[in-house]
Amino acid sequence: MTIMRFRAKAKSENSTKVVVEARGFKIIIDEPEDLGGNNTGPNPVEYVLAALSGCLNVVGHLVAKEMGFELRGLEISLSGDLDPAKFSGEPTENRTGYTVVRATVNADTDADRVILEKWLAAVEDRCPVSDNLAHVTPLEIVLGNQG
């Protein structure tokens, strides 16, 4: 089994904005103005939704090809619900992250509904991002050098 390691490096520009570099690409993460940011980019939880859509797209096309039907394109609508109380430092029993993430996938294809249901089940099963969202993933956050 070959394990692939993906990397990203982030640098804070201010209290709400961080610039992430991954494979030479720059990703700007910021909060909207109503959450104290300058609205120069999507916020972290919006990027979670964006990451899921990107993964569903890639895996969706791969699985369609393997199943032998033409997938001309996808439109994916995503939403997630979260309670900002814990993030804001308020006492709550609710979790900090999304309590539910919803994705509606509209496929531009001539495949029938029975095939598409099998396709979607395979896509969800094989998408690394949906796997990370649906299952506990060990997370290690450590303190680095100070300076």
Side-chain angles (χ1 to χ4, degrees), residues 63 115-127 130:
V63 172
I115 295 292
L116 287 176
E117 287 174 359
K118 290 178 185 174
W119 165 80
L120 188 58
V123 170
E124 185 176 357
D125 183 58
R126 292 173 58 181
C127 171
S130 67

Side-chain angles (χ1 to χ4, degrees), residues 7-90:
R7 290 178 166 73
K9 191 169 188 173
K11 184 167 173 106
S12 169
E13 288 198 357
N14 61 45
S15 64
T16 62
K17 182 179 178 183
V18 65
V19 177
V20 180
E21 289 192 40
R23 290 189 305 112
F25 295 98
K26 289 191 178 191
I27 303 165
I28 296 172
I29 302 172
D30 197 2
E31 293 291 336
E33 290 177 2
D34 62 339
L35 292 177
N38 293 311
N39 203 38
T40 60
N43 71 18
V45 294
E46 291 167 328
Y47 270 109
V48 170
L49 299 177
L52 178 58
S53 70
C55 194
L56 292 172
N57 179 64
V58 170
V59 178
H61 281 84
L62 176 71
V63 172
K65 185 175 181 182
E66 290 173 358
M67 291 178 69
F69 69 87
E70 181 185 9
L71 181 60
R72 293 180 290 272
L74 291 175
E75 286 189 11
I76 306 166
S77 298
L78 302 108
S79 66
D81 298 345
L82 63 80
D83 176 356
K86 189 177 276 186
F87 166 79
S88 300
E90 300 170 23

Side-chain angles (χ1 to χ4, degrees), residues 102-121:
R102 294 172 211 84
T104 301
V105 180
N106 293 304
D108 182 4
T109 182
D110 295 329
D112 66 31
R113 184 139 192 119
V114 172
I115 295 292
L116 287 176
E117 287 174 359
K118 290 178 185 174
W119 165 80
L120 188 58

